[in-house]
Amino acid sequence: MNRNQSLRLGIVGGLGALAGADLLNRIVQMTPVRSEEDHRELIFHQKPLREPVSPQEPAYIPTHRKLYVFDTLSRMERDGCDAALLPCFVTHSFLHELEDELELKLISLTGAITAAVAKLKPQPEKIGVIATPFVRENGLFENLFGEDVQVVYPAADLESAVMEAVYGGNGFKTGNRREEVLQPINAALASLSEQGASVFVPGLSELPLLLDQLDLPDGMTAIDTAAVYAEHALKETQPGRRRRFKVGVVGGVGPAATVDFLSKLVKGTEAACDQDHIKVLVEQNPQIPDRTENLVGSGTDPTVALYSTCKKLERGGADILVIPCNTAHAYVDRIQRHLGIPIISILSAATDYIRESSPGTRTVGILGTDGTIRSGLYQQALEEAGLCHIVPDEQHQDLVMECIYGPAGVKAGHTEGLCKEQVTRAFSHLVARGAEAVILGCTELPILVTAGAGDLGALAVDPTDVLARKCVQLAKD
């Protein structure tokens, strides 16, 4: 796995079609590449935003914009985005509200502007801003540059003329770049210069597209806010920056085993606070057809359901996949070749654990469903590890199936009584035949048998636990 990959970056284009497309173009052009594969992985979402009141209106309230942006970012998050750009100044007035509800990183446009202004020598005393009435009244820019810098705006009549030039029926948003659009903006720039502004910061995301056509007053410097935003985004998503590792869990096979795995993943993680734990994405799908019924009978093939669940997790940004079901690993080879991320084998995790924790062990017993036993999954894995294997005879295999699937079994919600007696008898049967370690090869069995040396006469190996440990280790690498 390439842990030095760049972050997957989303761009919310529907906040302003021209500004969104411009930002996408700038990021592609500004990315230093030696080949096509060096470009950032980008997801561009362009869906028109329709609001009952335009941002150019004094009575504008961004409620609809808030919900639109949240929905768009939520979709990006589900698609595996790690970070997102929002080329819209109105949106940055409520950025903190979004950050509180989303996991993906929101790259700050205002942060990029602040950094760009901080590099100016000498530092300006006054900065001129052209923005919507909402952004001006919200005070978005007043808090960006420090107490020693004054922010000034055009006069009210000039601001209104600029809004019409950008948002009007024949304005810049319609594609008009002629003099009737440029003249009101140039007049507003002259007003800013007359007030003493030596730096112009566009507070409308469309204005950077017009900078090369505008007449900046003598002595005034313009900050290309789109360029600095693109540059800032590339720094935030540069190769080598490690994004948070995410484990995708194919759940529901069975439900109790999924909860058991998640518990072991949490317990196996060294953490001083919540944020130290591993990100986990679970698709709990108990409707995946029974694996054993398909392998030993005429049950429905679960391949498509397993693959569909894996793809959802992959699209959700998982770095690795785990399936806390031993029998399901009979289908892994056919699924893996169609995935872009690895399924971590519970079989390999178990055999590696035996070799590392008990190097003197030569004979390993296997407890599992009929499907797991007949598929030869663990037999092959143990042979490849240079270990011998023992499976229960027919009588004791029936006990194993009963303790799992029976009316008093673990899949029916029982963890004590008959089911525990049945699995203990099967375990002892394998020990009597020479097993030095026994793999609890159904993810429900560790719920009934405590892993470790214990008093059962052999090492009880919990594949669910060693799989969780493997995930913790991969998250550290």
Side-chain angles (χ1 to χ4, degrees):
M1 287 176 295
N2 180 14
R3 297 306 306 281
N4 290 323
Q5 63 189 23
S6 59
L7 302 188
R8 188 176 298 162
L9 184 61
I11 301 175
V12 182
L15 298 171
L18 293 173
D22 177 49
L23 183 60
L24 173 63
N25 181 56
R26 289 175 188 260
I27 288 178
V28 173
Q29 289 190 339
M30 294 173 66
T31 301
V33 298
R34 291 164 295 182
S35 64
E36 288 296 323
E37 66 182 23
D38 290 334
H39 280 286
R40 295 293 184 269
E41 185 175 353
L42 299 170
I43 295 177
F44 184 77
H45 191 283
Q46 177 81 332
K47 179 181 178 182
L49 167 63
R50 296 177 176 85
E51 297 179 286
V53 178
S54 169
Q56 70 175 3
E57 301 294 336
Y60 174 75
I61 298 175
T63 302
H64 294 282
R65 186 167 298 236
K66 289 182 181 183
L67 300 181
Y68 168 91
V69 173
F70 177 79
D71 286 343
T72 303
L73 292 174
S74 296
R75 284 192 292 272
M76 287 182 169
E77 197 169 67
R78 290 195 298 270
D79 287 339
C81 281
D82 305 280
L85 285 90
L86 302 107
C88 165
F89 287 95
V90 172
T91 302
H92 280 73
S93 70
F94 55 81
L95 199 68
H96 64 283
E97 298 177 37
L98 301 169
E99 289 174 328
D100 288 343
E101 303 299 330
L102 296 161
E103 288 189 24
L104 80 171
K105 177 181 176 65
L106 303 183
I107 298 178
S108 172
L109 170 57
T110 54
I113 294 170
T114 301
V117 170
K119 295 178 183 177
L120 296 177
K121 301 297 182 185
Q123 282 289 286
E125 295 181 2
K126 290 185 178 182
I127 291 178
V129 175
I130 298 177
T132 62
F134 175 84
V135 168
R136 173 177 51 77
E137 293 173 7
N138 182 269
L140 179 67
F141 286 93
E142 275 72 6
N143 299 319
L144 297 185
F145 311 118
E147 296 179 357
D148 296 332
V149 178
Q150 182 183 354
V151 177
V152 297
Y153 299 92
D157 60 329
L158 295 175
E159 179 185 86
S160 178
V162 170
M163 293 303 104
E164 183 63 23
V166 175
Y167 290 96
N170 193 35
F172 177 60
K173 279 182 172 287
T174 69
N176 186 1
R177 290 172 173 256
R178 295 190 295 272
E179 183 61 27
E180 59 262 32
V181 167
L182 301 177
Q183 191 278 328
I185 301 173
N186 285 328
L189 289 174
S191 171
L192 297 177
S193 179
E194 291 169 2
Q195 296 178 65
S198 59
V199 174
F200 166 52
V201 174
L204 293 171
S205 55
E206 290 79 12
L207 291 182
L209 285 159
L210 293 172
L211 284 178
D212 59 347
Q213 294 181 255
L214 296 176
D215 296 326
L216 282 179
D218 291 341
M220 178 177 282
T221 299
I223 299 293
D224 186 339
T225 50
V228 299
Y229 195 27
E231 181 182 9
H232 182 64
L234 289 173
K235 288 180 180 178
E236 290 291 301
T237 59
Q238 60 187 336
R241 290 182 65 92
R242 177 171 168 168
R243 66 184 180 90
R244 292 302 301 269
F245 192 76
K246 186 186 289 186
V247 177
V249 181
V250 178
V253 285
T258 304
V259 174
D260 184 48
F261 170 79
L262 294 173
S263 175
K264 287 166 180 171
L265 185 65
V266 171
K267 290 178 181 177
T269 303
E270 294 181 7
C273 61
D274 290 347
Q275 290 70 32
D276 290 339
H277 282 278
I278 301 169
K279 292 179 73 173
V280 181
L281 184 62
V282 182
E283 175 74 9
Q284 184 81 322
N285 184 4
Q287 276 67 54
I288 294 174
D290 190 272
R291 286 65 58 201
T292 298
E293 287 184 5
N294 174 252
L295 290 171
V296 303
S298 58
T300 303
D301 183 356
T303 302
V304 172
L306 286 167
Y307 178 65
S308 172
T309 303
C310 288
K311 290 300 288 185
K312 290 176 185 176
L313 296 168
E314 182 179 32
R315 289 193 297 268
D319 295 280
I320 61 172
L321 296 172
V322 294
I323 308 176
C325 170
N326 293 271
T327 314
H329 281 68
Y331 306 88
V332 164
D333 286 345
R334 66 184 77 168
I335 292 172
Q336 180 64 81
R337 67 186 63 189
H338 298 283
L339 296 171
I341 55 176
I343 299 173
I344 305 304
S345 171
I346 199 171
L347 312 173
S348 299
T351 53
D352 290 346
Y353 172 77
I354 293 171
R355 287 192 300 177
E356 294 167 5
S357 65
S358 184
T361 294
R362 292 292 175 265
T363 303
V364 179
I366 306 168
L367 293 178
T369 65
D370 288 349
T372 297
I373 298 298
R374 295 187 192 181
S375 69
L377 294 170
Y378 272 112
Q379 293 91 316
Q380 181 180 349
L382 290 167
E383 288 174 4
E384 291 175 355
L387 299 169
C388 300
H389 57 79
I390 302 173
V391 298
D393 60 22
E394 183 176 351
Q395 175 188 353
H396 288 89
Q397 182 61 30
D398 288 343
L399 289 177
V400 175
M401 290 295 289
E402 185 69 15
C403 84
I404 298 170
Y405 290 99
V410 65
K411 282 187 177 289
H414 300 277
T415 58
E416 296 290 341
L418 180 61
C419 58
K420 198 159 191 174
E421 295 173 10
Q422 290 168 329
V423 73
T424 301
R425 285 173 58 191
F427 192 105
S428 300
H429 161 70
L430 294 177
V431 173
R433 292 175 55 198
E436 302 160 275
V438 175
I439 294 174
L440 305 174
C442 172
T443 40
E444 273 83 13
L445 294 181
I447 300 173
L448 303 177
V449 179
T450 303
D455 57 358
L456 295 172
L459 175 68
V461 180
D462 177 358
T464 311
D465 184 59
V466 297
L467 181 63
R469 295 187 196 183
K470 181 71 173 179
C471 292
V472 171
Q473 186 58 50
L474 289 172
K476 293 179 180 179
D477 291 344

